[in-house]
Amino acid sequence: MSGFWCETALVNADGGSGAGGSGAGGAVVATGVRLEVQGGRISSVSTGVRPETSDQILNGVVFPAAANAHSHAFHRILRGRTHGGRGDFWVWREQMYRSAAELTPEKYEKLATAVFTEMVVSGFSSVAEFHYVHHQPDGTPYPEPHAMELALARAAVAAGIRLTLLDTLYLAGGIGAPLRPEQARFGDADAQAWLDRLASLRAEVAQGFPTEMVGVGAALHSVRGVPEEALKTVARQLPADIPLHIHLSEQTAENEACLQAYGVTPAGLLARHGLLSARLSAVHATHLTPEDIQLLGDAGTTVVMCPSTEADLADGIGPARALSDAGATIALGTDQHAVIDPWVEMRTLEHGERLGSGQRGRFSPQELLHAATLGGGASLATPFATSLEAGAVCDLMAVDPDSVRTAGSEPEQFAFSATASDVTAVVIAGELVASHGVHVRLGAPGRLLTEALKEFS
């Protein structure tokens, strides 16, 4: 058994013993918080106490670590490189395809290790990796058919982050269109071939990696990338015990094509085949009708907003408040990694709502923290940080309350002042993995990224 002593921490309002708390809602800010840890989980919480001799000290304010519910690790190549001229979406997409074509298992493991390390030092302890670069560039499988997937799993283990590897079905280059040559490595022969490969991948990952750190989920690229007949097959045969993700209504062109081909919106098409449920994570969900919002809310889906990416790609501002009010759970992701920063994603979600509505306070600070932690729970196939209470996994991030950004801020409102630069320590599964922006085992993520990115044009 080990222990962490936190100078200040946001703890479950009903947990702990002793004095020193203040706050509101489901969590309170307490001082002198001691966490006993056993098997990577918090076994007890005490507040208003002094540290014991063997405790690791976490200064600042300690929060549950964040969950990144949507990531494409290789898109990190594109940061700061797609804005030439006016830098429209099509410039970005062509560069993305060029980057995807250059990936090999070895290069991807090196890159993903660096990207996951950047996530860890920024305060993320979990990531859902939406992965579709399965095969060799011409579409033929690698001699080891899961070479790319296993490279990502090894990268996550090296970085110490919990990985949900979302193996993605991607069969079409658009509704009624075959995959383009640059998309060939994303595809499978058909939905059944993908299901078979998914089952094989699940077995191999379960055998080779700790289940609390690496799990496998499923994803449908989009209704553009998965024909209706394939949706029917997935609805009938996908195992019920794994999360399912899909890019949904990210662009208005997707909605128009779906309406023309199927007579319904993308959300309506998923509902038609029973694919809307509490285990579904709909990513982006930017351009929805009122009926779509109600469908997603009634089904209890998780909607993964990626505010920095949606701003970078000019996708638009999604109806996050309306979705939450309808019954959907809001989670946050970094998608193409224009920014890797849970605090920036939190406030950009609220800022988008403010810009769209002309009103402040659309999401409370507590709701934003919930989106960054608990919100991603249904999206993940591994344990995730919930709160600082007995039984929860010991995934923590400590934040400096005295930086030029946070000085004077109330800890409960750090979503409106803090950034990843203020994260001073990250603990995952009861192990200190990052301190002041440096990974304990791997060093500075900037150096890792610089070396990995040299291998891409």
Side-chain angles (χ1 to χ4, degrees):
M1 185 176 293
S2 60
F4 290 92
W5 184 84
C6 312
E7 182 180 27
T8 308
L10 194 71
V11 301
N12 181 33
D14 300 321
S17 61
S22 67
V28 296
V29 176
T31 58
V33 178
R34 185 170 187 276
L35 309 175
E36 286 196 347
V37 182
Q38 190 167 19
R41 291 180 176 265
I42 299 170
S43 57
S44 70
V45 181
S46 302
T47 61
V49 299
R50 300 294 302 167
E52 297 189 3
T53 305
S54 60
D55 287 347
Q56 294 189 67
I57 307 299
L58 298 178
N59 292 314
V61 184
V62 176
F63 297 83
N68 186 347
H70 187 68
S71 163
H72 299 289
F74 82 89
H75 288 190
R76 176 60 180 81
I77 299 168
L78 308 178
R79 185 188 294 178
R81 303 182 67 187
T82 62
H83 305 277
R86 291 184 178 266
D88 64 14
F89 176 79
W90 308 109
V91 170
W92 178 89
R93 191 175 77 159
E94 291 308 312
Q95 177 62 51
M96 184 270 287
Y97 283 141
R98 286 197 295 273
S99 297
E102 295 177 358
L103 292 170
T104 65
E106 296 75 22
K107 290 167 69 173
Y108 206 2
E109 182 173 349
K110 185 176 181 179
L111 174 64
T113 299
V115 175
F116 292 155
T117 301
E118 183 182 1
M119 290 182 197
V120 166
V121 303
S122 300
F124 289 107
S125 66
S126 305
V127 60
E129 178 65 25
F130 199 110
H131 167 67
Y132 51 80
V133 188
H134 303 302
H135 309 299
Q136 298 183 72
D138 64 357
T140 58
Y142 285 97
E144 160 50 77
H146 305 305
M148 292 296 258
E149 291 74 29
L150 297 176
L152 288 167
R154 289 191 297 270
V157 170
I161 199 167
R162 300 182 195 270
L163 171 68
T164 296
L165 181 56
L166 297 166
D167 197 86
T168 301
L169 177 61
Y170 200 152
L171 299 177
I175 295 176
L179 291 172
R180 294 166 51 177
E182 61 267 34
Q183 298 169 318
R185 70 186 312 184
F186 308 161
D188 290 284
D190 53 30
Q192 187 59 59
W194 171 72
L195 285 163
D196 293 343
R197 190 171 57 75
L198 176 65
S200 172
L201 175 63
R202 292 185 74 192
E204 191 158 350
V205 167
Q207 184 176 9
F209 298 90
T211 57
E212 290 220 336
M213 297 306 296
V214 182
V216 175
L220 311 172
H221 181 268
S222 59
V223 299
R224 294 178 291 106
V226 181
E228 185 172 21
E229 286 303 312
L231 293 178
K232 294 178 184 178
T233 300
V234 172
R236 289 193 305 266
Q237 297 187 40
L238 185 68
D241 62 340
I242 60 174
L244 176 65
H245 291 227
I246 186 170
H247 295 125
L248 188 76
S249 293
E250 183 178 5
Q251 299 280 335
T252 55
E254 175 187 328
N255 292 353
E256 293 163 2
C258 189
L259 282 164
Q260 184 174 0
Y262 303 123
V264 291
T265 62
L269 185 63
L270 297 182
R272 176 184 291 174
H273 299 294
L275 288 166
L276 291 185
S277 71
R279 69 110 165 233
L280 181 73
S281 292
V283 182
H284 302 304
T286 306
H287 303 285
L288 302 178
T289 67
E291 293 76 18
D292 293 336
I293 293 170
Q294 199 60 53
L295 282 171
L296 292 166
D298 287 347
T301 57
T302 297
V303 176
V304 184
M305 298 291 191
C306 305
S308 65
T309 287
E310 288 145 10
D312 182 79
L313 296 181
D315 286 343
I317 299 170
R321 182 71 263 170
L323 283 159
S324 180
D325 291 344
T329 296
I330 304 300
L332 294 172
T334 62
D335 195 358
Q336 57 130 344
H337 316 307
V339 175
I340 293 180
D341 189 326
W343 298 100
V344 167
E345 298 295 348
M346 284 183 242
R347 68 173 159 273
T348 305
L349 177 71
E350 168 64 12
H351 287 172
E353 279 285 324
R354 294 182 182 188
L355 289 169
S357 68
Q359 299 175 334
R360 297 181 86 228
R362 300 283 286 175
F363 286 95
S364 69
Q366 184 179 1
E367 288 176 306
L368 295 174
L369 286 167
H370 189 285
T373 53
L374 281 165
S379 302
L380 304 174
T382 62
F384 56 95
T386 54
S387 59
L388 274 61
E389 59 182 325
V393 294
C394 188
D395 290 6
L396 316 169
M397 66 168 152
V399 180
D400 182 1
D402 300 314
S403 78
V404 294
R405 292 163 292 277
T406 60
S409 298
E410 297 180 7
E412 302 97 321
Q413 297 188 31
F414 276 6
F416 292 97
S417 60
T419 72
S421 296
D422 303 313
V423 174
T424 58
V426 179
V427 173
I428 302 176
E431 177 189 353
L432 181 70
V433 293
S435 177
H436 295 277
V438 177
H439 196 279
V440 170
R441 296 190 303 273
L442 301 179
R447 176 183 58 79
L448 298 177
L449 287 160
T450 297
E451 289 303 311
L453 292 168
K454 286 178 180 177
E455 300 189 20
F456 297 92
S457 60

